[in-house]
Amino acid sequence: MLTVSHLRCEYKINPIGLDMKSPRLSWKLQSDRRNCVQSAYQIQLSLTESFELIEWDSGKKNSDQSIHVELDHWLPNARTRYYYRIRAWEVAGDESSWSDTAFFEMGLMGSGNAWKADWIKAPFDGETDVSCPRFHRLFDLHKSVTSAKIYVTALGLYELHLNDRRVGQDYFTPGWTSYGKRLQYQVYDVTDLLQNGENILGAYLGDGWYRGHLGWNKEQKIFGTDSALLLELHIRYTDGSEEHILSNPDWKVATSAIRMSDIYMGETYDARMESNWTNAPTENWSPVDVLDYTKDIIVAQENVPVTQIEHLQPIALLTTPQGDRVLDMGQNMVGWVRFSIQGEAGHTVELRHAEILDHEGNFYIENLRGATQCIRYTLKGGELETYEPHFTFQGFRYVKLIGFPDDVHLNDFTGVVLHSDMERTGNFTCSSPLVNQLHHNILWGQKGNFLDVPTDCPQRDERLGWTGDAQMFVRTASYLMNTAPFFTKWLRDLEADQGEDGGIPFFVPDLRSSTSEGWGNTNHSSAAWGDAAVICPWTIYEMYGDVRLLAEQYDSMKRWVSYIHAQGDNPYLWNTGFHFGDWLGLDSKPDSYIGATDKDYVATAFYAYSVSLTHKAAEVLGHADDAAYYDKLHDNIVAAFQDEFVTPSGKIAVPTQTAHVLALQFDLLDSKARNRTIDQLGKLVADAGNHLTTGFVGTPYLNPVLSDTGHHNLAYTLLFQEDYPSWLYQVTQGATTVWEHWDGIREDGSLWSADMNSFNHYAYGAIGEWLYRYVAGINTDEHQPGFRIVHIEPKPGPGLEWVEANLETMYGPVASSWYRRENNQMDVRVTIPANTTGTILLPGAEVQTVLENGKPLDQVSDIHDVQTQGSDVRIVLGSGSYLFIYKVLEADQEVHAQQVESV
């Protein structure tokens, strides 16, 4: 039976507040038969859930497209909800019934003139009182309500309340954007929160990223000096009339119990000042001021919101050698602690947050630099009180308790994990517990650093959207979670912050007011960092088939390439300006953060790579002239690279692992130099005692290149190293997230410099791509992106006896697993989603020994083609689940046995 399910609009389930003219729909097919391919679909839109009134009907449309489907010749209306349902036909003739009904709802759909409300602010804002202001408006309802929506944004962060109930489950709204050019708004359905008679609408404002501390120079008010609220409540009555409650001079404002709240510094709360929304205990409500501020930059919510994702209970209450009482959450996490306490009015308690204990077991906060991460709470006294922060978050595993009573209980505390609410899509597990923990650490690194923007770290006075870190991790991130909306929003900020000359700042959103020397001066761009403008949109295109985002970012990609092209005297080399190089490479000189790989070499290699991807984008988008230009430009860059960095005999002149990896990964060599570089890379790894020496630039590509160039088992050797430097060294040291430095905690227990030593820094977690793409073998196809063609090419290696992985793609679940059995038998299980095709590579197989669920391949009708490729068998097949069992070639088995023994 054929069914249509998992309906999505712009990646989201029943979104409200869309502003695009043509929302796209996606769905998944399920069938109890293999080889299911859609032949046609029909979409219906209605203004009613019962579909009594059809707004638009596609009719039966002959097409196999089931993701990112645009609605032809139809335009939506603002503030209107559209219900939709879909049915499909498949090639074999099956017809589905109608899907369950889903909906999407449009937002205000206009620039600044769509807003009728005023920006309002507190008259005391900017004075020495740093408390978070709270605003309120009273209004009466005396008619029956059909629907009510709040459209809201802020300069700073907001938290809404309606009739003493918090509105929505979102946090850190409206999010962090390039505030001078883009500011998101959110929409909330509050129909069920309204009541007959008097209603009270209220809001807290926090400084957030807009005017709180940002960067390492203790700067504040980088984006603006005044926090302000912009809000419209649109009420529709059953009689057809409407009423709008707007932020305007009718509102009142007062100070609040939130005495201070800052992203870096934490929050101070005085519960004695709590009151309901109709009065303030310490002063009367004051009239608000109206702020003259543009509304033209306001855009609808693009990313998924930050929400409370999960809750952790502390695993222990410790007493350190210095006598501190410390909670151990058991996991380095990002969010905050919710706690309950009972005591005398006026008593203040503190929670301090840290990632690790030092080698003596004491609470360690030096690596936080200027970020205090401190929560202070003053009790109102009497009954049990429960508190959690509003406008701050911490990165921590350990929590020092100050001022708490002696009889503290673990169940009085809960760790609240917050991050952007991305759908979990990938899972990986294997026969190695250490590798499983590494995968866990990579996942938690993403959880901790994907809080509205892809930050470098979540704990110290930084937490910035470093472009280099993002592009290094984007593919791994997209295996683990659905990152398409997340990167869509961030890439729009990247384009907004792109310089007139095409340069890209080091971090996005950029801190334009930071004019100090060094990293604060972002008037220059760095290779491998600025290349995020090209690498990220191309990766999202490959992983999700999102042609619209690629087209949207194409101009930014071109401008970045033009920026590089204009640097220096030679348009085909990038040998000028500041570059981070192979950041934190282990082959660096003493007292240097930059690895030994020549920075001009790194810059020119990434120049070639970005041009190659821009060329591909031009081909996808049908820009033939551009494609020809970038193809020729790429040839010239490769020729210049070879002249500059490769000797006539084919030897790379830069003798580092990273240099060899980049040349191979970016295909910058002729065949003679390529073969020599492959051999030399193996020697360089061997000379390092079969360890890596790469930094941020080389590490993401190291294992993929080894696997692609005949050194696959050496890649496994690197994976399984447990001493420094290695991925599993961190695991053996008790890490629960990925570290910034390979030796953040040294083997003797001492610590790397506190100046820059994050224990939640996802860049080196890019090894996750290799686990999914090579070890489990799940890969997409750039010519049929979004996993329309699913490649499953598992690569077993020494040290693992089995692997299981799955990935929820736009088309449905992909699964790949392999198991070594006795007598040289290999089992490979795969799942290919409906409406896609799979290509399966069975490693070390002889075609005559391969059985699928007990049948020879030539007796399985759903298999389209079988080919022998060296010592492997390649199979092309339709959707469905398959089990292949075969005898591994004796030669392959002998090599594997020798390599296991050597490891």
Side-chain angles (χ1 to χ4, degrees):
M1 183 175 71
L2 181 68
T3 59
V4 176
S5 65
H6 295 80
L7 274 59
R8 300 289 190 273
C9 179
E10 295 299 329
Y11 298 100
K12 300 173 183 178
I13 301 173
N14 299 337
I16 62 175
L18 301 177
D19 268 6
M20 68 279 297
K21 293 182 179 179
S22 183
R24 300 171 299 175
L25 305 181
S26 301
W27 60 89
K28 297 176 183 178
L29 301 178
Q30 287 82 35
S31 175
D32 52 6
R33 298 192 312 104
R34 289 176 170 177
N35 204 23
C36 173
V37 178
Q38 178 182 290
S39 61
Y41 67 80
Q42 183 178 5
I43 301 172
Q44 286 186 343
L45 298 186
S46 173
L47 295 175
T48 62
E49 195 169 3
S50 62
F51 284 83
E52 295 170 349
L53 178 62
I54 302 299
E55 164 78 8
W56 180 87
D57 192 329
S58 69
K60 183 177 180 180
K61 185 163 184 176
N62 295 325
S63 171
D64 61 1
Q65 185 180 0
S66 59
I67 68 171
H68 306 311
V69 176
E70 295 191 18
L71 310 181
D72 296 334
H73 310 296
W74 176 81
L75 292 176
N77 293 317
R79 300 192 298 116
T80 302
R81 176 170 294 188
Y82 296 96
Y83 297 92
Y84 68 98
R85 60 184 182 182
I86 300 169
R87 61 178 173 176
W89 292 260
E90 63 138 338
V91 170
D94 285 355
E95 175 185 348
S96 76
S97 57
W98 286 109
S99 68
D100 290 340
T101 299
F103 68 83
F104 60 88
E105 184 173 314
M106 307 311 295
L108 295 176
M109 293 190 66
S111 57
N113 58 10
W115 290 85
K116 306 306 179 187
D118 296 320
W119 285 105
I120 57 174
K121 63 180 289 288
F124 52 80
D125 211 12
E127 298 177 2
T128 55
D129 188 343
V130 294
S131 71
C132 296
R134 61 176 188 152
F135 300 78
H136 85 169
R137 165 73 190 275
L138 278 62
F139 60 96
D140 291 331
L141 293 180
H142 299 293
K143 294 194 293 186
S144 180
V145 174
T146 297
S147 69
K149 306 290 166 52
I150 290 179
Y151 304 82
V152 58
T153 187
L155 303 177
L157 302 178
Y158 70 81
E159 179 181 304
L160 294 184
H161 291 256
L162 180 55
N163 295 325
D164 290 321
R165 293 171 63 185
R166 192 182 192 278
V167 174
Q169 303 300 317
D170 304 349
Y171 291 85
F172 301 100
T173 47
W176 189 7
T177 51
S178 299
Y179 291 123
K181 303 151 192 168
R182 290 165 28 83
L183 178 66
Q184 292 186 133
Y185 75 91
Q186 288 75 40
V187 184
Y188 302 96
D189 189 332
V190 294
T191 308
D192 293 338
L193 299 183
L194 292 175
Q195 61 193 24
N196 241 358
E198 185 179 69
N199 289 260
I200 307 167
L201 179 57
Y204 291 105
L205 286 187
D207 289 347
W209 300 283
Y210 183 75
R211 63 174 217 161
H213 286 88
L214 272 183
W216 43 85
N217 293 323
K218 298 186 183 300
E219 291 185 88
Q220 293 178 273
K221 301 182 179 180
I222 289 176
F223 294 101
T225 58
D226 295 299
S227 59
L229 177 71
L230 183 69
L231 180 148
E232 298 189 0
L233 168 57
H234 291 206
I235 304 171
R236 289 178 180 173
Y237 297 107
T238 54
D239 64 7
S241 63
E242 285 197 15
E243 182 178 3
H244 298 169
I245 307 298
L246 309 178
S247 56
N248 58 28
D250 293 336
W251 286 58
K252 303 295 183 182
V253 64
T255 57
S256 74
I258 309 173
R259 308 310 299 158
M260 182 279 294
S261 192
D262 184 272
I263 297 288
Y264 292 172
M265 303 307 172
E267 190 163 295
T268 299
Y269 190 90
D270 189 341
R272 296 171 299 177
M273 298 184 64
E274 287 181 344
S275 65
N276 61 38
W277 285 96
T278 58
N279 60 74
T282 58
E283 61 181 330
N284 296 325
W285 290 95
S286 303
V288 299
D289 283 350
V290 172
L291 179 68
D292 182 14
Y293 195 86
T294 183
K295 302 169 191 171
D296 293 335
I297 61 173
I298 300 174
V299 298
Q301 170 91 27
E302 297 162 340
N303 193 358
V304 291
V306 174
T307 61
Q308 294 191 15
I309 302 297
E310 55 194 299
H311 299 91
L312 304 179
Q313 294 304 129
I315 63 173
L317 178 62
L318 312 173
T319 300
T320 70
Q322 293 179 345
D324 295 323
R325 285 192 300 165
V326 175
L327 293 173
D328 180 0
M329 302 304 300
Q331 170 66 51
N332 196 12
M333 58 166 283
V334 173
W336 56 56
V337 173
R338 178 191 302 140
F339 63 91
S340 297
I341 188 171
Q342 189 169 10
E344 295 181 0
H347 180 70
T348 298
V349 296
E350 291 186 8
L351 289 79
R352 300 269 179 164
H353 301 77
E355 293 188 285
I356 63 166
L357 305 178
D358 67 18
H359 66 286
E360 295 179 346
N362 289 311
F363 196 70
Y364 179 80
I365 58 172
E366 291 181 30
N367 68 322
L368 301 182
R369 302 191 306 216
T372 58
Q373 291 206 131
C374 178
I375 301 298
R376 293 183 179 89
Y377 179 82
T378 300
L379 281 70
K380 60 185 171 185
E383 301 296 325
L384 186 69
E385 306 173 38
T386 300
Y387 171 77
E388 60 185 322
H390 299 259
F391 300 122
T392 185
F393 63 88
Q394 289 80 50
F396 64 99
R397 172 174 174 170
Y398 299 96
V399 183
K400 182 165 72 171
L401 304 178
I402 301 173
F404 281 80
D406 294 336
D407 58 341
V408 165
H409 303 286
L410 293 182
N411 58 9
D412 291 333
F413 302 88
T414 299
V416 179
V417 178
L418 296 116
H419 59 77
S420 293
D421 192 12
M422 300 167 290
E423 177 187 1
R424 175 77 182 276
T425 52
N427 289 279
F428 177 96
T429 187
C430 65
S431 57
S432 167
L434 290 179
V435 174
N436 291 338
Q437 182 64 42
L438 171 62
H439 180 267
H440 168 98
N441 294 0
I442 295 168
L443 174 63
W444 276 84
Q446 181 169 349
K447 290 180 180 181
N449 284 290
F450 276 47
L451 195 152
D452 205 64
V453 300
T455 56
D456 60 322
C457 61
Q459 73 297 99
R460 67 184 180 219
D461 55 353
E462 194 163 348
R463 313 187 195 188
L464 303 176
W466 284 91
T467 50
D469 302 50
Q471 68 86 359
M472 295 162 198
F473 191 68
V474 59
R475 193 175 295 268
T476 294
S478 299
Y479 274 108
L480 294 170
M481 299 179 184
N482 184 342
T483 63
F486 182 89
F487 275 105
T488 295
K489 175 250 189 184
W490 185 73
L491 283 168
R492 289 172 179 168
D493 283 307
L494 181 146
E495 184 175 17
D497 278 342
Q498 191 168 13
E500 292 183 3
D501 59 358
I504 301 292
F506 299 153
F507 32 77
V508 172
D510 192 16
L511 309 186
R512 287 297 187 188
S513 70
S514 186
T515 58
S516 57
E517 295 182 0
W519 300 342
N521 181 1
T522 56
N523 293 325
H524 43 67
S525 302
S526 171
W529 272 248
D531 293 287
V534 173
I535 295 171
C536 291
W538 178 257
T539 302
I540 297 301
Y541 165 74
E542 281 196 299
M543 295 296 286
Y544 303 100
D546 198 330
V547 179
R548 176 187 282 180
L549 179 64
L550 188 67
E552 183 181 292
Q553 295 296 318
Y554 180 64
D555 182 64
S556 174
M557 298 166 73
K558 291 173 60 178
R559 291 170 60 212
W560 169 244
V561 169
S562 295
Y563 170 85
I564 304 172
H565 191 63
Q567 305 303 303
D569 297 328
N570 188 332
Y572 307 123
L573 293 173
W574 194 2
N575 53 14
T576 60
F578 170 85
H579 297 284
F580 290 104
D582 191 23
W583 187 249
L584 299 184
L586 294 172
D587 51 10
S588 62
K589 296 178 181 179
D591 300 321
S592 173
Y593 291 136
I594 299 176
T597 306
D598 182 85
K599 288 189 286 185
D600 295 346
Y601 181 104
V602 172
T604 302
F606 272 91
Y607 180 19
Y609 185 45
S610 277
V611 170
S612 72
L613 294 185
T614 306
H615 167 253
K616 290 180 179 181
E619 290 188 320
V620 169
L621 300 173
H623 301 309
D625 291 345
D626 283 358
Y629 168 76
Y630 290 118
D631 189 33
K632 180 64 175 176
L633 177 59
H634 181 260
D635 288 346
N636 289 335
I637 296 168
V638 170
F641 176 90
Q642 293 175 357
D643 288 344
E644 185 79 2
F645 299 111
V646 183
T647 68
S649 62
K651 180 180 180 180
I652 288 182
V654 180
T656 67
Q657 290 182 14
T658 290
H660 289 65
V661 165
L662 294 184
L664 294 169
Q665 175 69 22
F666 298 158
D667 197 17
L668 302 176
L669 307 170
D670 60 27
S671 58
K672 179 176 70 173
R674 179 176 176 81
N675 291 334
R676 184 166 183 178
T677 300
I678 290 171
D679 291 341
Q680 186 61 23
L681 176 59
K683 293 177 183 177
L684 288 169
V685 175
D687 290 345
N690 284 342
H691 286 77
L692 51 79
T693 60
T694 50
F696 274 31
V697 164
T699 300
Y701 304 116
L702 176 58
N703 274 32
V705 164
L706 291 173
S707 291
D708 284 338
T709 57
H711 292 304
H712 179 62
N713 290 291
L714 182 55
Y716 267 80
T717 299
L718 290 181
L719 174 68
F720 278 101
Q721 296 289 13
E722 296 181 24
D723 58 337
Y724 164 79
S726 67
W727 288 280
L728 296 189
Y729 168 75
Q730 300 178 10
V731 173
T732 62
Q733 295 294 308
T736 60
T737 45
V738 177
W739 297 350
E740 182 175 17
H741 294 273
W742 295 110
D743 59 343
I745 300 175
R746 299 190 177 98
E747 291 174 304
D748 64 1
S750 63
L751 301 174
W752 220 86
S753 169
D755 290 341
M756 195 178 68
N757 197 16
S758 164
F759 294 95
N760 192 351
H761 216 93
Y762 57 66
Y764 290 139
I767 186 66
E769 174 192 347
W770 183 75
L771 295 177
Y772 281 93
R773 193 175 178 185
Y774 288 83
V775 177
I778 299 174
N779 198 8
T780 186
D781 188 305
E782 68 178 45
H783 301 295
Q784 292 287 329
F787 293 89
R788 184 62 189 269
I789 292 180
V790 180
H791 294 287
I792 296 185
E793 302 182 6
K795 294 182 180 292
L800 290 181
E801 293 304 309
W802 59 267
V803 164
E804 295 179 354
N806 56 70
L807 175 68
E808 190 67 34
T809 72
M810 293 292 292
Y811 291 95
V814 171
S816 171
S817 60
W818 53 263
Y819 309 83
R820 301 186 194 276
R821 306 298 189 188
E822 295 179 353
N823 302 320
N824 294 351
Q825 179 178 306
M826 179 74 80
D827 295 2
V828 176
R829 298 175 183 269
V830 301
T831 297
I832 306 299
N835 209 28
T836 70
T837 300
T839 66
I840 315 302
L841 192 75
L842 302 180
E846 290 182 298
V847 67
Q848 62 269 25
T849 71
V850 180
L851 300 177
E852 195 284 305
N853 274 308
K855 291 182 179 181
L857 298 183
D858 58 5
Q859 296 180 21
V860 182
S861 60
D862 305 303
I863 289 179
H864 303 162
D865 189 29
V866 179
Q867 300 173 355
T868 299
Q869 294 187 346
S871 61
D872 304 323
V873 172
R874 182 177 295 277
I875 302 169
V876 180
L877 42 72
S879 65
S881 294
Y882 300 81
L883 169 60
F884 298 99
I885 299 176
Y886 61 94
K887 291 280 189 178
V888 178
L889 290 169
E890 293 293 334
D892 184 84
Q893 191 69 21
E894 290 174 6
V895 170
H896 167 69
Q898 294 170 2
Q899 288 159 341
V900 169
E901 185 176 348
S902 68
V903 172

